[in-house]
Amino acid sequence: MLDAGLKTQLKAYLENITQPIELIASLDEGAKSNELRELLTEIAELSPAKITFLDNGQSSRQPSFKIQRAGSDIAVEFAGIPLGHEFTSLVLALLQVGGHAIKMDEMVANQIRNLNEDYVFETYYSLSCQNCPDVVQALNAMSVLNPRIKHTSIDGALFQDEVKQREVMSVPAVFLNGEEFHYGRANAEELLAKLGTGDSEEQIAALNEKEPYDVLVVGGGPAGAAAAIYAARKGIRTGVVAERFGGQVLDTMSIENYISVRETDGPSFAGALEAHVRDYDVDIMNVQRAEELIPGKEIQLKLANGATLKTKSLILATGARWRELGVPGEADYRNKGVAYCPHCDGPLYKGKDVAVIGGGNSGVEAAIDLAGLVNHVTLLEFGEALRADEVLQRKLHSLPNVTVIKMAQTTEVIGDGSKVTALRYTDRTSQETKDIPLDGIFVQIGLVPNNEWLGDVVKRSKHGEIEIDVRGQTSIPGVFAAGDATTVPYKQIIIAAGQGATAALSAFDYLIRTSVE
């Protein structure tokens, strides 16, 4: 199953295994079981002294396999064949169960080790989901650090009966002890917080005791990362507060227009951003949400956990998120038929009828991708014409299983209490109300800035964007802003990064001038 080049790379990785492991498979006579048997045999042959393949597993899911440290109860389990986006998860699991060090903040690792309850996690993923590996890898690492944590990763495409029974309509979908626990991307810190083991009093006190920063950046996306690097290179005390490092880039499937990077995907790009920032002396405070900005000669930033950080200058790079429809039923059926990531959740709607809301590039691209998976796609556009690039429109109109409805205002998401069954819209030309029976709705109607927490402290536009000048200066002296959260036109990764650099240089100039005064 693995080509020669991949085998060579994998063999080199497997040399990092320090403790013997067993690959214990549960297989039947089906084609997928034969594929998994071939994959596990190839892996074991790459490191025969450290890896043993056993075809005697007792799991009720077939095909599946467990990676177990020999003579211990440390193990992770995969139901399915973890290739595609999950191949990295497989490699990491082999290494970590085999004793290779887990790269994780030591404070977070200790929190995991100190959990004293039994947790049984199950994560449903799709091989085309770029958000799923983060969750799978975080829970796998947690299960290696603490044997009281058990984790099984399940390919939803291979276990459709389970997906249907549990009404999984969005991935990654995490169940804890048989109950719904989490949907969407998350790292170990975020999962710990959801377990109720977030910041301790000791951690909050440590944040409060931090010395004032010269520059404090709020946000860990392209704008925030660029700002942090440019500030740190000036040799000044720099900190970053991020709810999730990488920001919205993490939800981007393909990036082909970042100059000098011919092609990459969002998670890889986000990982490179964080790695680059960590090359410098930057204090990164991840999984921390800003809650209040208090201007002054010494600016204060209050966090949601109750801690307060102090800084001489501040850069707001809080980014944006997918805009919601804001109609009845949307919140009720989120992850139950209402979705925002066609790449992640599309495979769960194979052979079904879906709608895409939005006629811009994102909406049309989503409709094109989904058309290859589902039975039928209905694209609804609010205006008189689609706004996507002409090349995308031509492709869309060439597809036989796509219907485009213009002048359509979505008014309600309809369901049966457990899942979406229809979409209601108003024909803006005739004012007639119509229903479309369907199984899923993918919302692609643009972005909204993550600035609500600022209130009226900083001047914002009618769209909620932070107003800035050409230097990134906001209405408050010493407070700068960059990226998608601002009034800068064209929300693009490369523009956000440039804006972050501008804001950092402006903040440095501000510090020089105020120090002289």
Side-chain angles (χ1 to χ4, degrees), residues 241-318:
V241 172
E243 212 166 331
R244 58 169 189 163
F245 210 100
Q248 195 193 11
V249 166
L250 290 165
D251 302 324
T252 303
M253 184 65 176
S254 178
I255 300 170
E256 299 176 349
N257 57 356
Y258 195 87
I259 308 307
S260 83
V261 180
R262 295 181 63 182
E263 184 178 359
T264 185
D265 59 80
S268 298
F269 189 85
L273 286 178
E274 183 171 0
H276 197 175
V277 173
R278 291 188 182 278
D279 284 341
Y280 294 89
D281 187 15
V282 176
D283 185 8
I284 298 178
M285 293 156 279
N286 204 7
V287 197
Q288 297 293 345
R289 181 163 54 87
E291 199 166 71
E292 184 181 358
L293 167 60
I294 303 174
K297 187 172 182 180
E298 185 176 76
I299 301 164
Q300 296 184 51
L301 185 72
K302 288 192 174 182
L303 305 180
N305 63 8
T308 300
L309 301 172
K310 298 172 285 293
T311 183
K312 298 174 184 176
S313 66
L314 184 74
I315 297 174
L316 298 168
T318 47

Side-chain angles (χ1 to χ4, degrees), residues 167-190:
E167 297 180 340
V168 175
M169 304 181 75
S170 178
V171 290
V174 183
F175 286 73
L176 171 58
N177 300 331
E179 302 293 330
E180 289 185 3
F181 175 71
H182 177 79
Y183 284 93
R185 180 187 295 275
N187 58 27
E189 294 167 279
E190 292 166 316

